[in-house]
Amino acid sequence: MKAEIIVLGSGTSMGVPTLGCRCAVCTSTDPRNRRTRPSIALAWKSEGRDRLVVIDTGPDFREQALREGIRHVDAVFYTHAHADHILGLDDLRPLSFEHKPGTMPLYADQETSDVLRRIFEYTFSPNATYPNRARVQLHKLEGDQATEVYGARFQRVPLMHGNLEVAGFRFGTAAYLTDMSSIPEASLPLLEGLDVMILDALRPQPHPSHAAIPESLGWVERVRPRHAWFTHMSHEVDHEETEKGFPANVRLAYDGLRIPFEL
Ligand SMILES: [Zn+2]
Ligand SMILES: [Zn+2]
């Protein structure tokens, strides 16, 4: 199936511009240096209907959905429970009302589900009485499990984010590997034959829980996707300057980027 990745946000947890900062990237007029919190959407058609899956709903989800004209969501996959990936969950409410109560699927591992249930207690508690809560239901997806959404297979890819195991996802010929400092050996076979790989590349200098740009270039060499796009970038990354000297198949993602691929 033909499908498209929409980069909703390509920034790190603080976003770019970073609050209070007047550096060259934060004050840049290049729109590619404005980065909202990290998330992507996947769009395809099945049985004549538009299908849309979102990976992570961060604090900028509402603005991202407005910007990209998202009017419908079929499912959400969560990579992990850090604030920049989950705090927009409540903004799924209006998009969930077309689903029957408690049916819009959210896929997450146990640890992430526990945090979501705690933070959004009024959404998930069986005793919740709040009438306009999101009509969502958590489904467990752990280890290297896979699930299907309207004919598209989503494969969880275990990654390490510092000491924390988080989820990457593979779907068809593409994969999204945000927030990772390394790809475990056992996950590499899940990433064979990729056309598109979107991966964490926080900044030029090393960081304990994110791949730095030289490491990310190393992972591209190792995994060998046809095209790689970097994401989760901080204000230490100027779009144009940083891309100079990259291999031809490696580029920086930016908010609003659309990447066609085969699902
Ligand atoms: Zn993050
Ligand atoms: Zn700055």
Side-chain angles (χ1 to χ4, degrees):
M1 288 184 290
K2 293 220 170 308
E4 191 173 54
I5 296 168
I6 307 163
V7 176
L8 297 180
S10 58
T12 186
S13 55
M14 292 188 220
V16 183
T18 300
L19 289 179
C21 186
R22 299 291 297 159
C23 79
V25 174
C26 287
T27 56
S28 160
T29 54
D30 184 341
R32 299 170 304 179
N33 280 333
R34 288 192 74 87
R35 305 183 179 114
T36 59
R37 264 59 73 87
S39 174
I40 61 167
L42 308 164
W44 74 99
K45 261 193 174 28
S46 98
E47 293 155 9
R49 283 202 58 181
D50 288 330
R51 299 298 177 190
L52 193 118
V53 160
V54 174
I55 303 186
D56 290 333
T57 53
D60 298 315
F61 175 69
R62 180 175 173 277
E63 286 297 330
Q64 294 165 337
L66 288 170
R67 189 190 73 214
E68 300 301 332
I70 290 175
R71 288 161 49 201
H72 160 89
V73 172
D74 289 296
V76 181
F77 287 78
Y78 285 99
T79 59
H80 64 304
H82 286 164
D84 51 327
H85 299 261
I86 63 167
L87 286 187
L89 186 148
D90 209 53
D91 288 320
L92 289 171
R93 286 190 300 142
L95 297 169
S96 75
F97 293 156
E98 69 170 329
H99 298 259
K100 291 199 186 76
T103 59
M104 181 177 174
L106 311 180
Y107 296 94
D109 56 30
Q110 188 64 53
E111 208 171 333
T112 305
S113 302
D114 290 346
V115 177
L116 292 176
R117 281 204 182 88
R118 202 162 64 232
I119 296 183
F120 300 100
E121 190 270 341
Y122 58 89
T123 300
F124 294 107
S125 163
N127 306 321
T129 51
Y130 176 43
N132 289 328
R133 58 189 163 145
R135 295 180 166 186
V136 292
Q137 182 167 35
L138 279 164
H139 296 267
K140 209 192 284 181
L141 195 69
E142 298 196 295
D144 61 358
Q145 287 176 337
T147 190
E148 231 180 80
V149 180
Y150 294 109
R153 187 170 187 271
F154 288 80
Q155 163 78 58
R156 188 179 186 276
V157 179
L159 302 172
M160 292 312 293
H161 179 29
N163 296 326
L164 179 71
E165 192 205 286
V166 302
F169 294 100
R170 182 193 181 138
F171 25 92
T173 58
Y176 182 61
L177 315 175
T178 187
D179 290 65
M180 62 99 181
S181 40
S182 69
I183 307 174
E185 210 59 40
S187 293
L188 288 170
L190 303 173
L191 299 171
E192 278 168 15
L194 288 175
D195 281 337
V196 176
M197 177 163 83
I198 304 180
L199 72 159
D200 190 352
L202 179 72
R203 62 185 189 188
Q205 307 82 5
H207 186 280
S209 52
H210 291 274
I213 287 171
E215 295 164 322
S216 309
L217 288 167
W219 287 114
V220 173
E221 287 234 319
R222 188 96 194 266
V223 178
R224 299 208 160 277
R226 283 181 62 211
H227 300 278
W229 300 87
F230 288 172
T231 192
H232 210 294
M233 291 169 289
S234 78
H235 63 158
E236 283 136 312
V237 179
D238 177 74
H239 190 99
E240 194 166 332
E241 277 305 310
T242 307
E243 254 185 11
K244 282 181 190 162
F246 272 10
N249 66 333
V250 183
R251 286 291 169 264
L252 304 186
Y254 51 86
D255 289 25
L257 170 70
R258 288 173 181 245
I259 308 167
F261 73 104
E262 201 63 38
L263 186 60

